Amino acid sequence: MKETCRSLTAVAALTFTLSTIALTEAAYAAKPVGSDKGASEQSGGSNSDGIYAAARITYSGSVALNGTSGNVTSADVNWTPPPCWYAPYLGAKDFKKKMSADIERQLGTPGIGSTAGSALTELKRHYEAGYGWADNPGYEDYNLDKDGEGMFWAGVENPNEPDVLKRSSCNDLPFWVDNGEPPPPRYEEAITPQILAALAYQHMQLPDTQVTLAPEQTTKVNLPTWAWLDKAVFDEVQATAALNAPGFDLQATTTARPVSLTLEPGTDDAVTYPASGECTINEDDSIGEPYARGKANRTPPCGIKYLRSSGNGTYNLQATITWDISWTGTGGAGGDLPDGTFGNNQAVTVQEIQAVNR
């Protein structure tokens, strides 16, 4: 029976290219929170062939363009976005039209082997004549008597997952789910608000914020360089992922809140303030303290002191912001995701203080 199941699954991959469907679509380019987010685009209805279009995951808020991954790096090296998931695909009538046509086309392929032919016949029985096994019950005539009361679900690849084996691991045969009901528990990768939150995280685009320095760009050896970020340019961002299908609507919003700034001078010949190089957020949501006249002899709460000249070149100062990531979703769900980081590089010229000979 296990061999039959494996054969059916393999044939399904050949016959019914569900495990390579990309049901994701970037609906909106990056914008900061508080600006006009626009409306998420939803894909549905019927195409020119009368086939119901699978519901797509749409993204809105501060997200990368064209469905690409955003610029957030997880602070947890063991955390990764979901490589694949199961999601609503087609209603009974349209599933039958698609699946039966694919099966018949494959069965009519010249030179088809006996193993593949047998597996295709069993696959046909599975959806037409109630043939099932273990936890996979069969269907009578593709569940046509329940058309409009549910949908067949299928595996979906995450197009941003580089590992092809992980990306194609949601390869179970398409299965039926009644409207308003959850998928069977054995489908652990079935789409949930938490999966949507993780996908919103993957697509989130954090602002390209440049740290303010004083002195700016060019400083002197042993002269403290002050660094800060004003609240006005250092605010939380949000990204939303949504999936809408007949009888099944889910969404999740992932929020990133800045919590600290880490400075890496780009050379060992430097000291940071504080010594850890991590400047935490102030009560007014700013970081560091702006330089002003009269502070030249003070130690900056956030900054760097270079101990050696950069010569004819520059030092590559890296300023990395750490963001606290949380999410909320349909049904009151919510929680935390690993902290995210995003860094900018700034070229800093360090000169020797020139002595004047009299």
mmCIF file of all heavy atoms in Angstrom, residues 248-267:
data_model
loop_
_atom_site.group_PDB
_atom_site.id
_atom_site.type_symbol
_atom_site.label_atom_id
_atom_site.label_comp_id
_atom_site.label_asym_id
_atom_site.label_seq_id
_atom_site.Cartn_x
_atom_site.Cartn_y
_atom_site.Cartn_z
ATOM 1 N N PHE A 248 -12.718 30.606 3.075
ATOM 2 C CA PHE A 248 -11.447 30.527 3.789
ATOM 3 C C PHE A 248 -10.679 31.828 3.600
ATOM 4 O O PHE A 248 -10.092 32.068 2.545
ATOM 5 C CB PHE A 248 -10.619 29.351 3.255
ATOM 6 C CG PHE A 248 -9.432 29.008 4.113
ATOM 7 C CD1 PHE A 248 -9.556 28.156 5.201
ATOM 8 C CD2 PHE A 248 -8.190 29.558 3.842
ATOM 9 C CE1 PHE A 248 -8.464 27.855 5.991
ATOM 10 C CE2 PHE A 248 -7.093 29.257 4.624
ATOM 11 C CZ PHE A 248 -7.235 28.398 5.704
ATOM 12 N N ASP A 249 -10.700 32.681 4.610
ATOM 13 C CA ASP A 249 -9.991 33.959 4.565
ATOM 14 C C ASP A 249 -9.056 34.058 5.762
ATOM 15 O O ASP A 249 -9.488 33.915 6.909
ATOM 16 C CB ASP A 249 -10.969 35.135 4.588
ATOM 17 C CG ASP A 249 -11.870 35.162 3.364
ATOM 18 O OD1 ASP A 249 -11.400 34.713 2.306
ATOM 19 O OD2 ASP A 249 -13.019 35.615 3.485
ATOM 20 N N LEU A 250 -7.785 34.292 5.503
ATOM 21 C CA LEU A 250 -6.791 34.433 6.563
ATOM 22 C C LEU A 250 -5.909 35.628 6.270
ATOM 23 O O LEU A 250 -5.648 35.960 5.109
ATOM 24 C CB LEU A 250 -5.893 33.194 6.651
ATOM 25 C CG LEU A 250 -6.463 31.894 7.205
ATOM 26 C CD1 LEU A 250 -5.375 30.831 7.202
ATOM 27 C CD2 LEU A 250 -7.021 32.079 8.604
ATOM 28 N N GLN A 251 -5.411 36.250 7.335
ATOM 29 C CA GLN A 251 -4.386 37.272 7.151
ATOM 30 C C GLN A 251 -3.550 37.377 8.418
ATOM 31 O O GLN A 251 -3.954 36.944 9.495
ATOM 32 C CB GLN A 251 -4.996 38.622 6.808
ATOM 33 C CG GLN A 251 -5.682 39.341 7.952
ATOM 34 C CD GLN A 251 -5.998 40.786 7.584
ATOM 35 O OE1 GLN A 251 -6.043 41.160 6.415
ATOM 36 N NE2 GLN A 251 -6.205 41.599 8.590
ATOM 37 N N ALA A 252 -2.386 37.946 8.277
ATOM 38 C CA ALA A 252 -1.501 38.195 9.413
ATOM 39 C C ALA A 252 -0.672 39.438 9.117
ATOM 40 O O ALA A 252 -0.250 39.655 7.984
ATOM 41 C CB ALA A 252 -0.587 37.002 9.664
ATOM 42 N N THR A 253 -0.471 40.232 10.145
ATOM 43 C CA THR A 253 0.350 41.437 10.035
ATOM 44 C C THR A 253 1.568 41.292 10.934
ATOM 45 O O THR A 253 1.436 41.017 12.135
ATOM 46 C CB THR A 253 -0.437 42.694 10.432
ATOM 47 O OG1 THR A 253 -1.514 42.878 9.503
ATOM 48 C CG2 THR A 253 0.457 43.930 10.414
ATOM 49 N N THR A 254 2.734 41.440 10.346
ATOM 50 C CA THR A 254 3.990 41.364 11.082
ATOM 51 C C THR A 254 4.515 42.777 11.303
ATOM 52 O O THR A 254 4.589 43.568 10.366
ATOM 53 C CB THR A 254 5.016 40.515 10.300
ATOM 54 O OG1 THR A 254 4.510 39.183 10.184
ATOM 55 C CG2 THR A 254 6.353 40.473 11.011
ATOM 56 N N THR A 255 4.859 43.071 12.551
ATOM 57 C CA THR A 255 5.304 44.410 12.930
ATOM 58 C C THR A 255 6.746 44.364 13.422
ATOM 59 O O THR A 255 7.105 43.506 14.234
ATOM 60 C CB THR A 255 4.411 44.986 14.044
ATOM 61 O OG1 THR A 255 3.057 45.028 13.584
ATOM 62 C CG2 THR A 255 4.844 46.388 14.433
ATOM 63 N N ALA A 256 7.556 45.282 12.921
ATOM 64 C CA ALA A 256 8.959 45.395 13.346
ATOM 65 C C ALA A 256 9.144 46.713 14.088
ATOM 66 O O ALA A 256 8.839 47.779 13.552
ATOM 67 C CB ALA A 256 9.885 45.331 12.136
ATOM 68 N N ARG A 257 9.654 46.618 15.321
ATOM 69 C CA ARG A 257 9.897 47.810 16.135
ATOM 70 C C ARG A 257 11.395 47.912 16.427
ATOM 71 O O ARG A 257 11.997 46.965 16.933
ATOM 72 C CB ARG A 257 9.116 47.741 17.447
ATOM 73 C CG ARG A 257 7.604 47.742 17.262
ATOM 74 C CD ARG A 257 6.868 47.661 18.598
ATOM 75 N NE ARG A 257 5.417 47.716 18.420
ATOM 76 C CZ ARG A 257 4.657 46.656 18.168
ATOM 77 N NH1 ARG A 257 5.218 45.461 18.052
ATOM 78 N NH2 ARG A 257 3.354 46.796 18.013
ATOM 79 N N PRO A 258 12.019 49.050 16.125
ATOM 80 C CA PRO A 258 13.462 49.196 16.375
ATOM 81 C C PRO A 258 13.769 49.195 17.865
ATOM 82 O O PRO A 258 13.049 49.805 18.657
ATOM 83 C CB PRO A 258 13.791 50.546 15.735
ATOM 84 C CG PRO A 258 12.493 51.295 15.748
ATOM 85 C CD PRO A 258 11.413 50.270 15.568
ATOM 86 N N VAL A 259 14.833 48.508 18.250
ATOM 87 C CA VAL A 259 15.189 48.431 19.674
ATOM 88 C C VAL A 259 16.632 48.823 19.956
ATOM 89 O O VAL A 259 16.953 49.242 21.065
ATOM 90 C CB VAL A 259 14.925 47.021 20.250
ATOM 91 C CG1 VAL A 259 13.436 46.729 20.282
ATOM 92 C CG2 VAL A 259 15.650 45.947 19.451
ATOM 93 N N SER A 260 17.524 48.701 18.989
ATOM 94 C CA SER A 260 18.919 49.053 19.260
ATOM 95 C C SER A 260 19.690 49.266 17.964
ATOM 96 O O SER A 260 19.258 48.847 16.886
ATOM 97 C CB SER A 260 19.609 47.962 20.097
ATOM 98 O OG SER A 260 19.711 46.752 19.369
ATOM 99 N N LEU A 261 20.846 49.913 18.113
ATOM 100 C CA LEU A 261 21.760 50.176 17.008
ATOM 101 C C LEU A 261 23.132 49.652 17.405
ATOM 102 O O LEU A 261 23.645 49.968 18.487
ATOM 103 C CB LEU A 261 21.840 51.677 16.730
ATOM 104 C CG LEU A 261 22.966 52.161 15.818
ATOM 105 C CD1 LEU A 261 22.733 51.692 14.384
ATOM 106 C CD2 LEU A 261 23.084 53.682 15.873
ATOM 107 N N THR A 262 23.724 48.830 16.560
ATOM 108 C CA THR A 262 25.060 48.292 16.823
ATOM 109 C C THR A 262 26.048 48.885 15.836
ATOM 110 O O THR A 262 25.815 48.851 14.616
ATOM 111 C CB THR A 262 25.071 46.756 16.717
ATOM 112 O OG1 THR A 262 24.153 46.210 17.671
ATOM 113 C CG2 THR A 262 26.467 46.205 16.993
ATOM 114 N N LEU A 263 27.147 49.426 16.361
ATOM 115 C CA LEU A 263 28.176 50.049 15.528
ATOM 116 C C LEU A 263 29.402 49.154 15.447
ATOM 117 O O LEU A 263 29.928 48.692 16.461
ATOM 118 C CB LEU A 263 28.578 51.406 16.119
ATOM 119 C CG LEU A 263 27.460 52.457 16.234
ATOM 120 C CD1 LEU A 263 27.988 53.700 16.949
ATOM 121 C CD2 LEU A 263 26.911 52.816 14.861
ATOM 122 N N GLU A 264 29.856 48.904 14.231
ATOM 123 C CA GLU A 264 31.103 48.176 13.988
ATOM 124 C C GLU A 264 32.007 49.096 13.186
ATOM 125 O O GLU A 264 31.704 49.401 12.021
ATOM 126 C CB GLU A 264 30.822 46.879 13.234
ATOM 127 C CG GLU A 264 29.941 45.908 14.017
ATOM 128 C CD GLU A 264 29.687 44.624 13.254
ATOM 129 O OE1 GLU A 264 30.574 44.196 12.493
ATOM 130 O OE2 GLU A 264 28.587 44.069 13.420
ATOM 131 N N PRO A 265 33.108 49.566 13.780
ATOM 132 C CA PRO A 265 33.920 50.638 13.184
ATOM 133 C C PRO A 265 34.558 50.308 11.846
ATOM 134 O O PRO A 265 34.892 51.208 11.075
ATOM 135 C CB PRO A 265 34.996 50.896 14.246
ATOM 136 C CG PRO A 265 34.436 50.332 15.512
ATOM 137 C CD PRO A 265 33.590 49.172 15.106
ATOM 138 N N GLY A 266 34.765 49.011 11.556
ATOM 139 C CA GLY A 266 35.449 48.663 10.319
ATOM 140 C C GLY A 266 36.940 48.525 10.488
ATOM 141 O O GLY A 266 37.675 48.335 9.515
ATOM 142 N N THR A 267 37.422 48.601 11.731
ATOM 143 C CA THR A 267 38.839 48.431 12.047
ATOM 144 C C THR A 267 38.959 48.069 13.522
ATOM 145 O O THR A 267 38.114 48.461 14.343
ATOM 146 C CB THR A 267 39.645 49.704 11.767
ATOM 147 O OG1 THR A 267 41.000 49.518 12.234
ATOM 148 C CG2 THR A 267 39.045 50.905 12.466
#
